[in-house]
Amino acid sequence: MTGNSNFAHLDTSRLPSPCHVLDLARLEDNLKLLKRVGDESGVEILLALKAFSCFAVADLVAKYLSGMAASGLYEARLGKTRFGGAMHAYAPGLKEGEIDEMLTYADHLILNSLGQWLRFRSRLEGRAGVEYGLRVNPGHNEVENPLYDPCAPWSRLGVPAKELRAEDLDGLSGIHIHALCDHPYDAFARMLDAVEKNCGHLFGAIDWINLGGGLLITEDDFPADQLISRLKAFRERTGLEVYLEPGTAIGLHAGALVSEVLDRSSNVGELAIMDASATCHMPDVIEAPFTPDVLGAETLPRDTNAREGEPSIVRLGGPTCLAGDIIGTYRFETPPQVGDRLIFLDLGYYTMVKATTFNGTPLPALALWDSRTDALEIVKEFSYADFEGRLS
Ligand SMILES: Cc1ncc(COP(=O)(O)O)c(C=O)c1O
């Protein structure tokens, strides 16, 4: 099982359910490691808000990271107003009407195409304190699932490097690459080789390069020192300022979702209905798909067909009427009963930021828990108003 064994010491009866819980100890460990990588390699590390926008921990984040990466106007505003620090904003489709407000937050603005840059150039240039960059597709694939591969055929994300000449970057001071998703160091090293090979002809025309996110720097066995040496060598050789913008790595193993068993039944195999939903609260479980681990249970393959007469194998699903609202199938030592609380591990990123209230399903509360001291603070609870407020 991957994850954070600290959650074994969490008393879930102190929480509302469902509830996201962030372990401040693991979060701080992640941030410390990212800061060390940044400091020792001379690279700036930004938090990708799309993965993790929990501003209740903004002060902790600000202790270790110098800025934020946003993927649109609202994230740029949230980053600037709730977190602070540098703001690197990118938008796959920038709206003309959003430019002025965007420039009140962003110190780096990354355009997705030369068309957008040339159309908006006269409105953008000359703004004090703002630098512009272009998203470039390095033409290198590491991601197997096309849903998450920014460099897949027909990708709309960035300009293919082979179509760009250095002169095309006139007026721009940087390029932005993002080509990984949940990858270990080796994939990053291959990607950087490809970037040097396929984008090297652009380096003389720019001052900085953002190498994106998708790298699991805070995974338990990650070779941080190898990454540091590689980044340092790249920076010294090219003379470029380098940025990384991890999202997952900030929240990795720091978050969990606590959820209560609402009902038990059986149909072919054993079933439980939880008060947390895959489709509402962890949509990547269905989209990717993947199965989150449950503390104390064995995670079985998603297509496991639980057989009758195997009470220890239970398929957990959400409280919505979507037939496919299935979180996963697990083997329990003691099968969970109505009222029991389970801890779904590693649901601190791409969860709160993606949650919906489909079916009128309540949103999980948010709690900050420090596994070093057992201090617990419930920082947010949602109500009917949050459901109604998005409708009219
Ligand atoms: C442009 C860009 N930067 C950074 C990230 C963060 O990636 P991760 O959360 O996998 O580190 C993403 C994720 O999709 C992205 O699209």
Side-chain angles (χ1 to χ4, degrees), residues 155-219:
S155 174
R156 69 192 191 293
L157 303 169
V159 185
K162 61 179 185 321
E163 290 175 14
L164 274 175
R165 297 160 307 154
E167 310 85 90
D168 295 328
L169 300 181
D170 181 47
L172 299 164
S173 59
I175 61 173
H176 178 282
I177 309 282
H178 173 71
L180 301 178
C181 177
D182 288 353
H183 277 98
Y185 174 74
D186 292 356
F188 176 82
R190 287 192 297 270
M191 181 200 80
L192 196 51
D193 288 343
V195 167
E196 295 202 54
K197 182 161 165 268
N198 301 342
C199 307
H201 63 293
L202 306 173
F203 290 175
I206 55 174
D207 302 325
W208 53 267
I209 185 167
N210 183 328
L211 294 170
L215 181 59
L216 295 180
I217 302 171
T218 53
E219 190 51 280

Side-chain angles (χ1 to χ4, degrees), residues 48 50-51 90 135 176 178 181-182 212-215 245-249 350:
K50 72 191 75 189
Y90 160 66
R135 170 101 179 227
H176 178 282
H178 173 71
C181 177
D182 288 353
L215 181 59
E245 46 177 42
T248 299
Y350 294 111

